[in-house]
Each structure stands twice: as structure tokens, then as C-alpha cells.
Amino acid sequence: MQTGIDYQNELNPAQYEAATTLEGPVLVIAGAGSGKTRTIVYRLVRLVESGVPASSILLLTFTRKAAQEMIDRARALLCQRGMPALSEYQETPPLHAGTTTDYAGDYAAGYQPQPRTHAVSGAAHGLAGVQGGTFHAYAYSVLRLFQPSGMARNLTVMDGHDIIAALQHCREETKAGKGDKSFPKNQTINGILSKTRNKEMTVEEVLRRESFHLLPHTDAIEMLGRTYAEFKRTKGLLDYDDLLFEFERLLLENEDALAYCRRKHQYIMLDEYQDTNPVQARIAGLVAGLSPAAVTGKEKQTETFTGNLMVVGDDAQSIYAFRGADVKNILRFPDQYPGTKVIRLEENYRSTQGVLDVSNAILEKATEGYKKHLFTSLGAGQTPRVVRPLSDRAQAQLVASRIIELSRSIPPSQIAVLFRAGFHSYALELELNKLGVRFKKYGGIRYTEAAHVKDMMSYIRLVQNPMDYTAFTRMAELHKGVGTRTCLKIYQLVLAGDKAGVEKAVARFPGLLADLNFIDEHRRLNSTPKILCSAVIEHYQPKLEELYPDDFPRRLQGLEQFAQLASAYDALDLFISDLALEDPLQEEKEEEGVVLSTIHSAKGLEWEAVIILDLVEERFPSRHSLTRPEDFEEERRLMYVACTRAKKTLEMYIPATLYDKGSGGSIPAVPSPFVRELKPSLYSEWQESYTGGLVQKKAHTAPHVPKPFLPRPAGAAAPTLRPTKPVAPEHNMQEEGFALGSGSSTTTRPEQCGYCHHKVFGRGKIIQHLPPDKYRVNFPGFGLKVIMAAYITLE
DNA sequence: ATAGATGGCATTTTT
DNA sequence: TGCCATCTAT
């Protein structure tokens, strides 16, 4: 089939090379803003144009949204450039129907392949049937077709909340850490266990590396891990990590499954390869055709690799090491896949040179020496700004008014505020609400986490998997008088098939019996997700009205929206797993509004204007990164990712003080090393005054004159701005010790951090030197303290 | 055994 | 801030 696309003229030479190399192993090193998405989009079209069936293309990206966008854009390209011959395909045939041979039906006895894709489908023109999504979603889509050995028959994907609930259950059962205040919280346990798996290390290794204070609990955590694994196995539950490891095991143990994947997905594209972890890399290798021995590195592939595998990524943007991502995957790809064609996309089409200069400067200081230099032909553009509000509260007010100012010339949806951690934006959110500025926050509360949605989902999940204990608990405890014990008892009776026993136990709770019957009936009916959703809503509505008398209509509406969503699915389990893997309502949020996002969630996105908050030590770089140099390097790459999101306007905010909830007062903050090390010529410096507007600091002119500290009465108007630096005397250390742009500032790099002893608090980690004679020290069990040097002994 | 209330807490980043 | 864990009255 032919299109009028002129690949050579619409792409630059490197992009062209990447988009038109369809066979063999290919590594694309794509610098920030280098047109990576465009290249993948063109390659998708090119593949289809060359006669590759869309259904044999697998596109794995970091989020489903990313895959969706690429497929949509490819489809748009095809539509727009006319594939007249294809217009008769407007009515897309179901994914597995007709043209493609689907082997799963033959192999997986009892499991019929479902006629609707789980992940994203390119639902028009020649792209119908491209399978795209995340590794996790892909893993599930195959796992459900083949029965993994030793697993319950119906597999359910757990979401974050399920995981915590399951851990809690295991904890009660084993009495692990009972009554021990130093025992970590479920969240923490989950983090440790998950790290253990993603980094493929023992609990002890993980603890030794990043939380040595928990080392005394090593055995208990390991034991809890085993109990948790057994809990999941017997109940047919899969957490995020299980999806990957069970999938790998399936590919290694079940020849049919491996053959199915290899045969079906002959053209594989992996985006963000720098952020894959070892098991993901092995899965990719197995499906692409690498031998099991070569995948684990036991043996080296010596002949030219003949599978069609393209990986795309940027080692400088690797920001997920904390969850096991390993840059080595991308660095050694050519070695692992002999015959790899390496293509570098280097010209930046996103940002003006001023933005790139700052970005480059940040990367230059990286100790791991990623040699990258972004360039553009877009021109110098605006000079990035450094803004220094008096406090984090003032920062919120300044940013809010700046957003209003910017939105006079830029659509609000083209303005983004980025920060290191979700809670860093709280103050700004309050401020924006106060001013009536619309915003959408990425990484905020998922709609699926609302109580009524979870209630509804528990019924749906029980229809799919009667052993889903988390769902059972949720459903059963909706009834007054049913708690942990009763719940467990009934669950066991139900599983044992003891009908008489169940009826007896449930007799005291008539509503519960009705629920169980309802679930049984619908399991028998095998209804479509949409019909089931409607039925559940009707069944649950009385309870909804009882539980939420003030706002049940609104919640009901939300549930109906959910049922609408379900109508896109033919298979119940796919609907459930999609909800656990990614919030489907996220992308349907209104388009208007300023974007608030963690830097991690901002990956791959771009905006006209980008504001980075809280560029002070402890926040960014995060205090948790101060232990090991490699973590600090990851913070640097995070900063690089943040800066390279900006097209034209880049502003970095450095509050002089941070509110301290402990003391209720403000503590001085040290500007982030990432800004301190920038040459002053790369940015202009702006400050707050009491009279209005941001005022640019005149570089190197006015001598520093400390202004008296003028406390604002509570509830006073937002700070306005004034031309000189209003720094309170007690904060003058910033002027003296941490001037910006020195290029050689006293950075609290991790390698300079040591430990010290204090008579009362014991051993602590020195977080920061506060000249001339104080240290900020983190004492396990006591938290952060500022201590006079005289009272501690350095180690 | 359950439910509700209270008080103490620490708080990265995501599938 | 919201989320725990523990306590107390039924």
C-alpha cells in the first residue's frame, strides 16, 4: 500500500534512518526533544505501508497514554495523507478476527482469546491491531491466555491499595512486628519488598543500601514477604512485580506461550528503554527471539541477531533506578544484540537555546559523564529565570500570580509547574484554588481510589475471581456487624463450598447473603462488563444512598461514567486489570487548566512555560538521595528532565525558607546545587518585593544591603515585589555561604556527608553544614536537628 | 468481635 | 496533610 508520505523530506537524516530501518536490532539514542515520538510514529506508518500486518507490531511504552498518542498520531498521518484504498476499512474488524492467526485459542485450553484488545488498539485504517501499552499490561494480556503453573485459575491484577491491604492481612496473621513501634509501615514494607524484586536483591542487601536502621527487622520482613507471596498465589492475585516475573517464568516454562508471543509480535518497539529493569529487558529479549541463556547473560549471542527489535531511549534521562531500572540495559544493548544499528537523534526541536544551555550545563556536571550537547536552530529565546521568594508560602503566591500573568499570552494548558514530590505542590494548590485558577494535577488522587468506586469494583472483581480476598473483605465489611473475623470465617466457608455453613454464618446479615447470591448469579450469567456494571450499580445504590446521604447523586453519576467506560471491554478481567494498571479517567480530564506534575510524571511531555518549584536542598535534590552518589546523580538527571520539558519559558524557584511543621516556624533553606553551579550568564535573577511585580536583580551592581525583616501580619495580602533583596538577617548565610552562580559552591554532596555522635541523640547523619558553627543532622528516631558543632563529635 | 474515636505520625519518585 | 495504630465502649 502506498501513501504520499515523503519520509526523506519530512524527517531529518537520523530520524529517517530510524523510521525506515524495519529489520534487525536497532538502538535509537534520542536526546530530549529530538523528535523521538515523531520518528516512532513515522516508523509505525512505514511498517504498515511495507505490508507488515499491524497485529504483529508490539509497541511498549512507559504509560498507556504514550502508546495511545503514538498510535493516534500514526493513524492521523495515514488518514490525512490518504490511503484511499483503505477507506473501506473504516469499520475496523475486531483485533483477532480474520486476517491474523491467533494461536492462543489452540494452546490455552478453555481460554478463548477475547475479541477486544486489552491495551490500546489503533482502531482505524491500517493500524488496527497494533498492540501498545506498558510491559505490565502486555504481561497480563499473555498471562491470561495461558495458565501459569501453580497459580489459581482466574488471575486478578492488584492495585496499590490491594497490595497494602494484603500486607496488612499477612501482618495480622503472622503477628510480624506486632506492638513494635520501630517496625516499618505497610507502605515501607511494600517499597522494600518491591525493590527486592525489581533490583533482584535480598531484603538484607536492600536494607543495607538504603535503610540500614531497619536491618534489625530483616528476618521479619523476609518472612512477611514469603507470607505475602503465598497469600497472592493461593488467591489468584498478581501485584505489579508478579506480572513481570510470572510472565518471564511463563515464557521460560511454557514453549507454547513463547512460540505464541514470538510468532505474534514480530516487530517490537520499546520506548524509554533506559528505564527498563532487568526482568523487563529479559522479557523483551525472549519475545524478540534471544535464547534464554543469552537473555540472562550466561551465554553471549555471537551471531548477528535477526529479530526485529527497536529500542529507543536516552541514558541521560534515566530516572527510575529507584524501582530497579538499570541504564546498563540500554548501554550494553549493541553488545547483547550483535548487528545492532545505532542511531542518534541529536537536534532538538523543542526548546530555545537559552533553555538548552541550562539543560546542558546541568548535564555537564554529571559525574558519569553522559556526553550530550543539545542544540537547536530555534534561536536564543528568553533567558531562563531564577526567582528567590522569601519563603515557600511566598513562593506559592508568586508562582500563582506568575501563572496568571503568563496566561495572558500562553494558554493555561501550556503552562506547567513541576516538582520533586507530590506534596511539594500543596501550598500552590491552595493558592490556585483561592484565586480560582483551574489546574489539573498529575499523580494526584486516582478516581478509582474513591471509596464508592472501590465498593463497586469489589463486586465486579468477585464475579471474575471468587478468591479475591481483598475484594471479598471490602464487600463483606459494607455490612454492619461484619468485621475481620466474621469476614474471614465466611470467606473460608464460601471457598470450601459449604453452602449450609455459609447460610448459617450469614444468617445474621441478610444483606450479605443477598450480595453473595448476586455475585453467584452474575458469575453464572457471564455478562459483559457493561451489563455487569449496570447491575452492580443498581444493586449497590441503596447502600450508596445510606453511606453518602449528602452527595450520593454525584457519586452515582461517577459510577455511571464508569459503566460507560466498561462498555469498551468485552472481557471482564481486562477491564479490571486496566483499572489497576492505569487510571483510564486521567486522560479524560479537561484539557484546559495549568498542569501541576511531579517530574516523573512529566516525562516525555512538553510545555511552552515550565516552572520548577522548591529548588532547595532536602527537597530537590531529595533528602533521600543524599546517602549514595548514584542517587544524587539520578536527581541531576531528574533536573535535566525537568528543564528540557520547557519550550520557551523556564523559571526556577528557590524559596529562602521552608515551613517546618515540627516547630511551626520557618527554617532556612539552601539553594539546590543544581542552580548554584550554573554560571550567572545563563539566567536572570528575580526577586520578590513588597510593591508589585517581579523585579530583576541587577547583576553585580548594588552592594548587598540587608533589609530589616518585616514580618507580615497573619492573613495579610500576598507579598508583592521589590527591587532589592529582602533577606532577613538570620538568613544571611545564604548570601554569604551559598551565593548563586559562584560555579564552585560548597555543595553538600553525599560523599562529603559523614556521621557524628551526640550525647543525647546518639549517632546521626550529617545532612548539611550551616556555617559557621552549626550542622543539620538526621538522628534515627529523633529526626532532623540543628546542632552546634561544639556538641557533636565528628566521626 | 466490632465500631468509633483519639492521638501520634512521617511524608520520593510509579506500574 | 491524611493515614496509621491503638484504645475503649458496646
Side-chain angles (χ1 to χ4, degrees):
Chain A
M1 47 184 91
Q2 286 304 310
T3 67
I5 295 170
D6 181 351
Y7 292 87
Q8 203 138 20
N9 278 319
E10 293 174 37
L11 300 171
N12 74 26
Q15 292 173 337
Y16 175 79
E17 184 81 4
T20 57
T21 303
L22 305 181
E23 313 277 324
V26 185
L27 167 63
V28 179
I29 301 286
S34 61
K36 176 189 74 171
T37 304
R38 183 178 178 81
T39 305
I40 295 176
V41 166
Y42 272 78
R43 189 170 191 263
L44 279 173
V45 173
R46 179 80 171 204
L47 278 166
V48 172
E49 209 184 345
S50 332
V52 171
S55 60
S56 65
I57 301 172
L58 176 65
L59 171 64
L60 296 187
T61 57
F62 211 66
T63 62
R64 181 174 46 175
K65 206 173 145 199
Q68 173 86 67
E69 194 189 313
M70 289 176 188
I71 294 171
D72 284 351
R73 277 176 59 176
R75 185 172 46 190
L77 191 60
L78 273 180
C79 289
Q80 173 196 331
R81 297 313 176 75
M83 285 180 78
L86 282 179
S87 51
E88 67 235 44
Y89 291 152
Q90 288 277 4
E91 288 304 318
T92 310
L95 174 59
H96 295 286
T99 52
T100 347
T101 319
D102 196 311
Y103 296 86
D106 303 333
Y107 291 126
Y111 278 81
Q112 289 306 310
Q114 299 297 329
R116 181 65 157 80
T117 167
H118 165 48
V120 177
S121 77
H125 293 271
L127 284 159
V130 171
Q131 191 172 354
T134 61
F135 264 97
H136 294 84
Y138 177 54
Y140 185 72
S141 75
V142 180
L143 278 168
R144 65 188 289 274
L145 297 178
F146 298 88
Q147 179 68 46
S149 56
M151 299 283 301
R153 196 171 169 75
N154 294 314
L155 300 176
T156 304
V157 177
M158 307 166 83
D159 69 12
H161 195 268
D162 298 331
I163 295 169
I164 299 301
L167 277 174
Q168 178 62 27
H169 177 84
C170 296
R171 245 175 108 159
E172 280 162 17
E173 199 175 278
T174 61
K175 300 187 166 54
K178 193 158 189 284
D180 181 350
K181 283 200 132 179
S182 73
F183 200 75
K185 310 238 171 292
N186 293 329
Q187 293 276 12
T188 315
I189 305 261
N190 176 37
I192 293 164
L193 291 176
S194 180
K195 253 181 201 174
T196 301
R197 307 193 65 196
N198 282 297
K199 299 191 170 187
E200 303 182 25
M201 298 194 292
T202 64
V203 171
E204 191 186 340
E205 283 169 320
V206 169
L207 294 182
R208 203 171 287 290
R209 286 173 69 127
E210 40 202 290
S211 20
F212 63 90
H213 63 288
L214 295 179
L215 271 172
H217 300 120
T218 306
D219 293 345
I221 295 171
E222 267 175 355
M223 187 267 286
L224 205 46
R226 285 191 297 272
T227 312
Y228 171 60
E230 184 61 10
F231 176 93
K232 290 180 295 184
R233 199 182 61 76
T234 56
K235 291 165 182 62
L237 300 170
L238 297 169
D239 68 16
Y240 298 117
D241 305 325
D242 294 328
L243 282 170
L244 302 178
F245 284 98
E246 287 300 321
F247 184 33
E248 182 192 28
R249 193 169 68 88
L250 181 77
L251 293 175
L252 291 173
E253 291 179 358
N254 186 331
E255 284 175 25
D256 293 343
L258 184 61
Y260 164 74
C261 289
R262 286 185 172 175
R263 180 124 193 205
K264 181 158 171 57
H265 302 120
Q266 299 196 9
Y267 291 84
I268 304 175
M269 278 190 260
L270 305 177
D271 193 14
E272 309 283 11
Y273 197 66
Q274 78 282 357
D275 282 324
T276 51
N277 64 24
V279 66
Q280 288 171 323
R282 294 198 298 270
I283 288 169
L286 285 171
V287 176
L290 216 55
S291 73
V295 151
T296 54
K298 277 198 195 97
E299 247 170 48
K300 203 168 169 270
Q301 166 94 10
T302 46
E303 298 141 39
T304 299
F305 181 75
T306 54
N308 307 315
L309 173 63
M310 170 182 274
V311 301
V312 184
D314 178 4
D315 49 5
Q317 292 185 66
S318 160
I319 54 175
Y320 280 95
F322 72 88
R323 77 172 206 208
D326 193 341
V327 195
K328 286 197 202 86
N329 287 342
I330 195 168
L331 296 179
R332 69 171 183 214
F333 184 87
D335 188 50
Q336 214 181 354
Y337 296 85
T340 293
K341 184 187 272 187
V342 181
I343 300 168
R344 293 177 176 276
L345 307 183
E346 289 178 316
E347 179 164 2
N348 181 292
Y349 296 96
R350 177 186 293 152
S351 315
T352 48
Q353 195 61 46
V355 171
L356 293 185
D357 288 343
V358 168
S359 307
N360 284 328
I362 286 158
L363 210 54
E364 256 164 40
K365 292 262 179 14
T367 57
E368 292 178 35
Y370 299 102
K371 285 297 164 239
K372 280 239 164 49
H373 197 84
L374 300 176
F375 63 96
T376 182
S377 50
L378 292 180
Q382 303 166 13
T383 305
R385 292 181 175 191
V386 167
V387 185
R388 311 193 70 194
L390 276 173
S391 65
D392 45 357
R393 198 189 140 84
Q395 170 184 255
Q397 292 166 330
L398 277 182
V399 169
S401 55
R402 183 70 179 135
I403 285 171
I404 291 170
E405 197 180 323
L406 283 169
S407 56
R408 280 198 271 273
S409 53
I410 307 175
S413 62
Q414 275 301 313
I415 304 172
V417 182
L418 306 184
F419 34 85
R420 177 65 180 81
F423 71 92
H424 292 169
S425 67
Y426 288 165
L428 178 60
E429 288 170 45
L430 287 178
E431 198 60 32
L432 291 175
N433 277 330
K434 206 161 76 184
L435 297 176
V437 178
R438 298 176 69 87
F439 64 89
K440 54 176 173 177
K441 187 176 176 184
Y442 282 27
I445 319 137
R446 293 169 146 223
Y447 180 69
T448 39
E449 279 168 20
H452 58 296
V453 175
K454 280 194 286 198
D455 289 348
M456 181 177 107
M457 286 308 297
S458 67
Y459 289 95
I460 292 171
R461 286 168 49 164
L462 283 168
V463 170
Q464 193 256 142
N465 175 6
M467 307 209 308
D468 185 337
Y469 185 67
T470 316
F472 188 89
T473 307
R474 177 143 204 126
M475 182 273 295
E477 289 185 351
L478 282 172
H479 301 91
K480 283 271 171 273
V482 180
T484 328
R485 307 290 309 169
T486 316
C487 184
L488 183 60
K489 198 172 100 191
I490 296 174
Y491 175 77
Q492 282 163 345
L493 290 168
V494 169
L495 277 205
D498 182 351
K499 266 207 146 77
V502 173
E503 281 181 24
K504 199 174 140 213
V506 161
R508 278 171 46 220
F509 318 104
L512 183 51
L513 185 61
D515 275 4
L516 291 175
N517 286 331
F518 173 85
I519 289 162
D520 268 344
E521 191 194 328
H522 282 276
R523 193 174 308 133
R524 268 198 301 277
L525 284 175
N526 201 14
S527 340
T528 64
K530 174 152 197 210
I531 291 173
L532 179 60
C533 273
S534 308
V536 171
I537 291 173
E538 197 188 330
H539 179 82
Y540 171 69
Q541 189 168 352
K543 209 155 287 159
L544 182 81
E545 294 180 11
E546 176 195 327
L547 251 49
Y548 309 100
D550 7 309
D551 69 338
F552 72 85
R554 192 182 57 80
R555 289 175 191 257
L556 189 63
Q557 222 178 5
L559 293 183
E560 268 149 14
Q561 201 183 346
F562 233 77
Q564 207 53 41
L565 215 78
S567 60
Y569 296 82
D570 290 330
L572 196 53
D573 65 333
L574 293 182
F575 175 54
I576 295 167
S577 68
D578 263 11
L579 291 184
L581 290 173
E582 210 160 356
D583 191 334
L585 290 184
Q586 196 129 55
E587 58 196 82
E588 302 194 0
K589 276 188 183 166
E590 355 76 82
E591 273 304 299
E592 76 249 46
V594 176
V595 171
L596 270 50
S597 173
T598 61
I599 299 168
H600 284 89
S601 303
K603 184 161 125 169
L605 305 176
E606 59 179 30
W607 295 273
E608 289 289 316
V610 166
I611 289 172
I612 307 174
L613 293 187
D614 281 330
L615 276 161
V616 297
E617 291 202 5
E618 305 253 306
R619 289 212 161 189
F620 192 6
S622 154
R623 120 173 53 148
H624 300 271
S625 73
L626 291 175
T627 335
R628 291 171 318 138
E630 59 263 42
D631 287 346
F632 184 81
E633 286 303 303
E634 182 146 314
E635 298 289 308
R636 179 184 295 286
R637 294 193 294 269
L638 209 45
M639 178 67 182
Y640 176 73
V641 168
C643 293
T644 52
R645 299 308 95 198
K647 290 172 159 178
K648 295 201 176 77
T649 305
L650 175 62
E651 306 194 351
M652 295 166 272
Y653 281 69
I654 306 175
T657 62
L658 292 180
Y659 175 73
D660 177 56
K661 49 225 164 280
S663 65
S666 293
I667 51 169
V670 183
S672 169
F674 304 134
V675 186
R676 296 212 304 271
E677 69 192 23
L678 291 178
K679 278 185 304 192
S681 59
L682 291 176
Y683 58 86
S684 62
E685 200 174 343
W686 297 68
Q687 347 180 276
E688 175 184 345
S689 85
Y690 290 108
T691 53
L694 271 177
V695 172
Q696 183 168 4
K697 180 186 172 189
K698 289 198 184 96
H700 317 298
T701 49
H704 169 61
V705 182
K707 295 285 169 192
F709 186 55
L710 301 174
R712 256 195 318 283
T720 48
L721 306 139
R722 66 178 184 176
T724 41
K725 214 166 213 175
V727 174
E730 62 264 42
H731 303 145
N732 279 353
M733 45 155 284
Q734 292 209 341
E735 289 298 300
E736 294 145 19
F738 299 96
L740 295 180
S742 61
S744 61
S745 51
T746 27
T747 308
T748 347
R749 295 290 288 270
E751 54 269 33
Q752 293 171 6
C753 285
Y755 290 90
C756 67
H757 279 276
H758 183 271
K759 276 184 212 132
V760 177
F761 303 126
R763 188 167 184 267
K765 187 169 83 185
I766 297 176
I767 300 298
Q768 182 187 347
H769 181 204
L770 305 173
D773 62 350
K774 288 184 188 134
Y775 287 90
R776 180 168 300 141
V777 186
N778 190 12
F779 294 99
F782 297 94
L784 284 179
K785 305 271 177 208
V786 175
I787 308 277
M788 300 282 287
Y791 292 109
I792 54 175
T793 45
L794 297 177
E795 202 169 289

